[in-house]
Amino acid sequence: MRHVIALDVGGTGMKAALAGPGGEVLHRARRATGRDQGPDAVVAGILDFATELRAYGAEHFGMPAAAAGVAVPGIVDEAEGVAVYSANLGWRDVPLRDALAARLDVPVALGHDVRTGALAEGRVGAGRGADRFLFVALGTGIAGGIGVEGRVESGAHGFAGEIGHIVVRPGGAPCPCGQRGCLERFASAAAVSEAWAAASGDPDADAADCAKAVESGDPKARAVWQDAIDALADGLVTALTLLDPRTLIIGGGLAEAGETLFTPLREAIRSRITFQKQPSIVPAALGDAAGCLGAGLLAWDLLDRTDRMEVTP
């Protein structure tokens, strides 16, 4: 059976799959990223893992994978196939696409992890059927993916969708990006965890604890939560004004709070918009499988382009 390799490289672990022509998952595997051994070891681990997946496909499905898609964190030059920078993995300017293509002897697509997850959410997840969507992941930081007609926009320099660095509180808390008052400093899961730990007096408290306290009616938790909702709504309204998406998909750890997040967020956005149209605001559907599923879609898209080129006279 014709299939592709899909690989999602995270800060601590790698998720992989062999995906069939209809996107069906034929095989799943996981492995530690091994970042504690240094960036060279991480790259070697990715290459070895992909090689093992190729061998598994050849043995169990009668042929090796026809292509591979890989999603990685940090700054990614998708056009050149270079993993430019990742603080979590410690690498700089890694020509990962070419290294994998040489090892596997098949075409390889390299993508940014959040944009790749957005691709999956847009095509087979919460945004299925939407011609234009915005995917926003609320995790340790905040990042997004801009979906247009079945693809996700990378931008001229690979930075499209970095909504977490919209300034929503000018002169506010410093951000590692060099600005002050960035959205992710107020509305990410990490920011809520930090604020709730301070407000509750429990240094181990996190965003999930804050959400539970909100549900129980704790006034301090409600204040922390509302501050995050207000900042998030301010940033999202800026994005909605610029992009006019039909569907707004919210994922990441903070979205696990469910309607404790979505009900006040919908109202906060509704109260801010004037001429804009409020999109459908929905939770992401694919969870931590989105990156791997998206990597598979990247590989099939690449094969589709390659196949068309081969039959063009």
Side-chain angles (χ1 to χ4, degrees), residues 32-287:
T33 304
R35 63 177 179 176
D36 55 322
Q37 299 174 44
D40 290 343
V42 171
V43 174
I46 293 170
L47 296 175
D48 289 345
F49 195 17
T51 302
E52 291 175 16
L53 292 164
R54 182 182 189 277
Y56 185 97
E59 179 181 352
H60 290 82
F61 304 116
M63 63 180 67
V70 185
V72 298
I75 299 171
V76 182
D77 185 336
E78 294 165 341
E80 295 298 322
V82 175
V84 178
Y85 173 71
S86 171
N88 285 338
L89 299 178
W91 62 30
R92 287 184 180 273
D93 298 321
V94 178
L96 193 56
R97 182 187 64 192
D98 289 349
L100 278 164
R103 177 70 71 91
L104 300 175
D105 195 29
V106 296
V108 175
L110 182 69
H112 179 274
D113 56 352
V114 174
R115 289 195 292 267
T116 301
L119 180 68
E121 285 288 354
R123 287 203 197 164
V124 300
R128 184 198 294 260
D131 54 347
R132 283 169 172 77
F133 68 88
L134 175 63
F135 171 75
V136 178
L138 307 175
T140 302
I142 297 178
I146 303 164
V148 181
E149 301 289 356
R151 64 180 181 82
V152 175
E153 176 62 44
S154 297
H157 306 96
F159 300 139
E162 289 293 346
I163 185 174
H165 297 290
I166 290 177
V167 174
V168 294
R169 299 292 181 265
C175 179
C177 80
Q179 299 187 115
R180 300 184 72 91
C182 288
L183 175 60
E184 70 176 40
R185 293 296 295 118
F186 298 92
S188 63
V192 173
S193 295
E194 182 181 339
W196 179 232
S200 67
D202 179 359
D204 297 323
D206 62 14
D209 297 323
C210 185
K212 291 174 184 176
V214 170
E215 292 162 9
S216 68
D218 186 302
K220 289 183 179 179
R222 286 184 171 180
V224 168
W225 198 255
Q226 192 60 51
D227 284 347
I229 293 288
D230 287 340
L232 182 57
D234 288 342
L236 289 175
V237 167
T238 297
L240 300 183
T241 303
L242 290 171
L243 302 172
D244 187 27
R246 200 171 306 279
T247 303
L248 172 58
I249 307 166
I250 308 291
L254 212 58
E256 294 176 7
E259 287 306 312
T260 300
L261 172 72
F262 284 93
T263 297
L265 179 61
R266 291 186 186 105
E267 180 55 37
I269 291 175
R270 186 177 297 113
S271 70
R272 285 163 168 77
I273 60 176
T274 54
F275 65 89
Q276 305 94 331
K277 296 293 185 181
Q278 179 149 334
S280 174
I281 303 172
V282 299
L286 302 177

